[in-house]
Amino acid sequence: MDKITGQLRSGVIFSAMGQYGTTIMTLIVTSVLSRLLSPDQYGIVAIVLVFLSFFQIFAELGAGPAIIQNKDMTDKDNSDVFWVLLMMGIVLGGAFAFSGHLVAFLYRQKELVNVFLAMSPLLVVSVLTIVPNAILLKRKRFRAVNFITLIGAFLGAIVGILAALSGLGIYSLVLSNLIPAIMKLILMFKESNLKLKKIGYHGYTKILSFSRYQLGFTLINFFSRNLDNLLVGKYFGAVALANYNKSYQLIMYPNTIFTNVITPVLQPIFSSDNVKLDVLKEAYERVLFILSLIGVPLSLYMAMMSKQIIVFLYGNQWMSAITPFMILSVTVWIQMLISTTGSVFQSVNKVGFLMFGGIISALILVTSILIGLLVGDINGLALSLTVGFFVNFVFSFSLLYTVIFKSTIIDVIRLILKPILISLVPGLMLQLVLNLHVVDKFNVFLSLSSTGLGYFAIVLFLYWKVLKVNLFVVFRR
């Protein structure tokens, strides 16, 4: 247990450096570009990125986690997988570029044709990064992976802002996505010491049994997570999509800042050294407990301060994003906890159950999306989707604990109950301050900083006094 905790702590530290740095730069470039570009332009790129993610799923073939899980992969096997992905990337990159004509017709946006063409190299480049990235994670080279990610994000932010200031408009968003991907490919290829050999495909067959389930799960998860964007863009228009997408992106930032620091570390560590289930469960519940301590009060604060957060980050032209952001913020802690479940299924080679869980989760979320669309606006969609996320939380952890840990979701509820009850105290105090309109006397930055400092100081104090927990001491309860 001590060995696993030590590896987790080390991996999380380096992962945090990369993720936090990347998130800060992403927020900066997003804040700048949101003021230089219109919601309509952001909506167009949001449509393209959804379709790009769809093509990437097929091009990646579920290879990344499969390489990490398979301990018998040789240099030749890794080379074979790289060549297979290269061929898939080229074929699907061309298909993606061509599909811009069809999508432009469906969405009645002619500019989509050129944006699809400009984004097609991103698909090929990101797919080629899969093998070197997986090799580095398998070797637990977390420092190298996150340092490279940080370099790419830094260059992408600079290029994106300079491009927008130069008048490139929507293509500044293209460059801000493409530059980091190119830098990651170059640096990870060099750092992983991937040795390319004669073109072959035998190495891919060694991971096929794992990767096909991973591919199936990823594909199903994609539809459940992106169908809302596709349908909002189609039926409500690019501006409504931009406002909805902005609110959804914001609620996912805590995942990037906290959960994405941990999840890349879980599978490489949990799948090694024949970890026993009781040890795995104990280590995993430490992760869940810490994420709930962070996520629950953060969800409440984001919902209550939604107007100030939107205006501060994006400006007054994004006021229509406030209500959907407020509603979806309630699910921040759910998103954080659910994001960890896949790594556990992968670690114990239960990817069949992972795909099964993905199918049921997709049905839950798709049903929620369709109900929300019937309401007729993005606020109703956000509310319906929020209910769906709560239902999905119950199902996902019930499946995980029943199949893997031979237990029940009651264990998870015990973990999150105290953070929920404790967070109500600073939440009520913040609501009192808002009702008195005290924060209205300050500008947006001061109101956010003052309420944020007070709110989270009370949260930390109550955790320390009631739970005897110091969040500054990582992985200790």
Side-chain angles (χ1 to χ4, degrees):
M1 182 62 196
D2 291 338
K3 180 180 179 181
I4 292 178
T5 302
Q7 289 178 336
L8 280 172
R9 184 182 294 114
S10 176
V12 166
I13 289 172
F14 291 122
S15 187
M17 292 169 60
Q19 289 291 344
Y20 293 166
T22 301
T23 301
I24 290 171
M25 281 180 278
T26 300
L27 282 172
I28 291 173
V29 71
T30 301
S31 297
V32 173
L33 294 182
S34 294
R35 287 163 170 81
L36 296 173
L37 304 176
S38 67
D40 186 63
Q41 289 174 312
Y42 259 97
I44 289 173
V45 172
I47 292 171
V48 177
L49 289 176
V50 170
F51 282 94
L52 179 71
S53 299
F54 174 69
F55 276 81
Q56 282 178 325
I57 292 171
F58 285 101
E60 293 172 4
L61 297 172
I67 292 172
I68 295 173
Q69 193 69 19
N70 193 308
K71 308 306 178 186
D72 300 322
M73 295 288 286
T74 64
D75 288 343
K76 179 63 168 66
D77 294 330
N78 289 329
S79 176
D80 287 351
V81 176
F82 182 88
W83 289 122
V84 171
L85 293 180
L86 173 60
M87 289 183 281
M88 287 295 295
I90 292 173
V91 171
L92 292 177
F96 174 78
F98 180 77
S99 67
H101 295 276
L102 177 60
V103 178
F105 172 76
L106 292 174
Y107 285 85
R108 298 177 183 178
Q109 292 278 358
K110 292 182 179 179
E111 196 168 4
L112 281 169
V113 174
N114 293 328
V115 180
F116 263 77
L117 182 62
M119 278 286 201
S120 57
L122 177 59
L123 189 150
V124 181
V125 171
S126 61
V127 167
L128 295 183
T129 310
I130 297 297
V131 175
N133 180 67
I135 291 173
L136 290 173
L137 288 176
K138 189 175 185 177
R139 296 171 183 169
K140 301 182 180 66
R141 297 282 306 280
F142 305 118
R143 178 170 59 181
V145 169
N146 288 282
F147 184 67
I148 291 170
T149 301
L150 194 57
I151 293 175
F154 178 72
L155 292 175
I158 292 176
V159 172
I161 292 173
L162 291 177
L165 292 173
S166 300
L168 289 181
I170 198 169
Y171 296 100
S172 60
L173 293 171
V174 175
L175 289 172
S176 67
N177 283 278
L178 182 58
I179 295 302
I182 293 174
M183 289 306 302
K184 284 180 67 175
L185 172 61
I186 295 172
L187 297 177
M188 284 189 177
F189 194 94
K190 182 178 183 298
E191 191 68 24
S192 66
N193 196 28
L194 174 62
K195 297 179 174 63
L196 295 182
K197 302 181 183 297
K198 184 179 178 180
I199 296 177
Y201 64 89
H202 176 72
Y204 180 72
T205 63
K206 294 179 68 171
I207 62 171
L208 183 59
S209 60
F210 186 100
S211 66
R212 63 184 179 184
Y213 286 113
Q214 180 66 39
L215 173 61
F217 167 75
T218 307
L219 185 61
I220 294 164
N221 191 54
F222 166 83
F223 277 110
S224 66
R225 294 285 181 169
N226 290 280
L227 183 64
D228 50 351
N229 285 318
L230 292 171
L231 295 178
V232 168
K234 171 64 178 175
Y235 293 106
F236 296 163
V239 174
L241 173 59
N243 284 300
Y244 177 78
N245 189 257
K246 280 289 184 186
S247 61
Y248 199 94
Q249 279 183 338
L250 267 183
I251 69 158
M252 295 307 293
Y253 273 124
N255 249 353
T256 303
I257 296 173
F258 300 109
T259 313
N260 285 3
V261 167
I262 297 174
T263 50
V265 178
L266 293 181
Q267 189 198 359
I269 293 175
F270 283 174
S271 63
S272 62
D273 300 328
N274 297 317
V275 178
K276 295 181 179 179
L277 280 181
D278 58 337
V279 177
L280 175 62
K281 184 174 185 286
E282 183 181 353
Y284 178 61
E285 288 186 344
R286 286 192 180 187
V287 172
L288 290 182
F289 183 66
I290 292 171
L291 289 178
S292 65
L293 290 176
I294 298 169
V296 171
L298 185 58
S299 295
L300 187 57
Y301 180 80
M302 291 172 66
M304 298 177 73
M305 299 297 292
S306 55
K307 179 180 178 180
Q308 291 83 353
I309 292 172
I310 291 289
V311 173
F312 174 69
L313 289 176
Y314 301 137
N316 291 319
Q317 64 175 328
W318 295 92
M319 298 293 283
S320 297
I322 292 174
T323 301
F325 172 62
M326 177 184 66
I327 297 170
L328 289 169
S329 292
V330 180
T331 70
V332 165
W333 66 274
I334 293 177
Q335 308 274 11
M336 292 173 64
L337 268 61
I338 285 183
S339 295
T340 64
T341 57
S343 298
V344 180
F345 282 113
Q346 292 168 345
S347 300
V348 295
N349 285 313
K350 296 289 186 179
V351 284
F353 283 101
L354 176 64
M355 190 173 77
F356 168 74
I359 293 173
I360 304 302
S361 294
L363 291 174
I364 294 170
L365 296 180
V366 168
T367 301
S368 301
I369 291 168
L370 294 177
I371 292 173
L373 288 172
L374 291 175
V375 176
D377 59 35
I378 58 175
N379 297 334
L381 174 61
L383 181 59
S384 180
L385 196 55
T386 296
V387 175
F389 280 129
F390 274 90
V391 175
N392 189 41
F393 172 82
V394 174
F395 164 74
S396 297
F397 278 99
S398 295
L399 178 67
L400 177 69
Y401 269 67
T402 301
V403 172
I404 306 300
F405 300 130
K406 311 304 178 186
S407 183
T408 68
I409 193 176
I410 298 299
D411 290 348
V412 180
I413 294 174
R414 289 196 189 101
L415 287 173
I416 64 175
L417 187 58
K418 288 182 179 179
I420 290 174
L421 294 175
I422 288 175
S423 297
L424 292 177
V425 176
L428 291 172
M429 296 174 69
L430 177 58
Q431 187 60 55
L432 177 62
V433 172
L434 293 175
N435 289 342
L436 294 174
H437 302 287
V438 176
V439 297
D440 295 340
K441 300 177 183 179
F442 306 105
N443 62 38
V444 177
F445 174 75
L446 286 177
S447 64
L448 278 174
S449 57
S450 58
T451 57
L453 285 172
Y455 177 87
F456 289 105
I458 295 171
V459 169
L460 291 174
F461 176 78
L462 291 175
Y463 282 167
W464 177 47
K465 283 295 185 181
V466 178
L467 299 182
K468 310 300 180 185
V469 170
N470 183 356
L471 278 181
F472 295 106
V473 182
V474 183
F475 291 114
R476 292 184 184 176
R477 292 172 76 175

